Amino acid sequence: MTTITHAPPAAAVARDAHWSAKMARLKARKLPERTLRVCDDDGVKKKSTEAALALAKARTDARAESVVQGIAESDREGWIVAYPDVVAAQLQLDKAERAVEDATDVLTFRALPRPVWEQLLRDHPPTEAQADQGMEYNVETYPAALIAACHVERDETGAEAPGMSEQEAQELLDAWSDSEAKALFTSALLANQTLRTDLGKG
């Protein structure tokens, strides 16, 4: 007895392959991250600001000189960038910005997968009084738990390393000023609640 097999329509095969590829990309998307930059060296920050102002002045002076020299408008930006005083000011700004970067600690927070986020909320329910005030979580315990859960630490090679513990997060929340502690918690919170700009577009 002869068995007859029917090949699926080519359009259906192409559609399945297209959807499979799209689904693979969607599942491979990285979770959003936010960073908090902490620099307590006022000296290097001041030098960076001064260097930025010096560069702005050098560019203004160079633009005026370009007019005197009769440089065409289409060639003016290239002429300004290459002007010796502008080059020197740019080098000073680059140096100052590297100093700021070296003096800055960067904390990175990655959004949690939805089930993990929801479990964390269940693990830190609001007290009865907090719930009466409309709180979704225990304001005393949840911030440190969220910060620790979302914190991502990377070593010099870029590989992920053990991050902040819940106890360490609580220590920072207790030691920092109110505004800085709020910035720390908000950075972790926004990683989970901010819609990325590549979503929602037609």
Side-chain angles (χ1 to χ4, degrees):
M1 182 175 182
T2 304
T3 301
I4 301 175
T5 59
H6 296 282
V13 173
R15 187 168 57 249
D16 287 346
H18 171 76
W19 173 249
S20 294
K22 180 181 285 189
M23 192 64 188
R25 290 194 301 273
L26 292 172
K27 290 193 293 185
R29 293 179 77 240
K30 294 181 179 179
L31 291 164
E33 293 184 355
R34 288 187 71 94
T35 58
L36 176 66
R37 303 176 66 82
V38 181
C39 179
D40 290 330
D41 192 329
D42 292 333
V44 297
K45 289 190 288 187
K46 181 181 178 182
K47 287 181 180 178
S48 178
T49 300
E50 291 173 347
L53 292 173
L55 175 59
K57 182 180 184 305
R59 285 183 58 86
T60 298
D61 292 345
R63 178 170 291 279
E65 182 63 21
S66 72
V67 174
V68 172
Q69 295 293 331
I71 305 300
E73 184 67 34
S74 59
D75 299 329
R76 192 161 291 165
E77 181 58 28
W79 192 90
I80 291 172
V81 169
Y83 194 71
D85 288 352
V86 173
V87 171
Q90 183 65 63
L91 289 173
Q92 287 300 312
L93 178 58
D94 292 344
K95 180 181 177 181
E97 288 180 339
R98 285 195 298 271
V100 171
E101 192 67 27
D102 291 342
T104 298
D105 290 313
V106 180
L107 295 173
T108 302
F109 300 96
R110 180 187 298 150
L112 302 172
R114 184 183 56 79
V116 179
W117 164 267
E118 292 178 347
Q119 183 60 52
L120 197 64
L121 285 172
R122 287 193 292 270
D123 291 342
H124 298 272
T127 63
E128 187 174 336
Q130 290 169 352
D132 289 342
Q133 295 174 10
M135 303 292 185
E136 295 182 63
Y137 49 78
N138 187 313
V139 297
E140 300 298 328
T141 64
Y142 182 71
L146 180 67
I147 291 167
C150 295
H151 179 240
V152 178
E153 185 66 19
R154 295 185 174 93
D155 62 22
E156 296 78 8
T157 68
E160 291 191 13
M164 195 183 311
S165 69
E166 193 169 329
Q167 179 181 344
E168 289 169 330
Q170 190 62 57
E171 289 174 359
L172 293 182
L173 290 170
D174 292 341
W176 287 6
S177 68
D178 182 63
S179 60
E180 291 174 332
K182 285 177 179 174
L184 177 62
F185 174 50
T186 300
S187 296
L189 194 62
L190 288 179
N192 291 277
Q193 295 186 337
T194 300
L195 186 66
R196 288 186 290 191
T197 56
D198 58 338
L199 297 177
K201 291 185 178 180

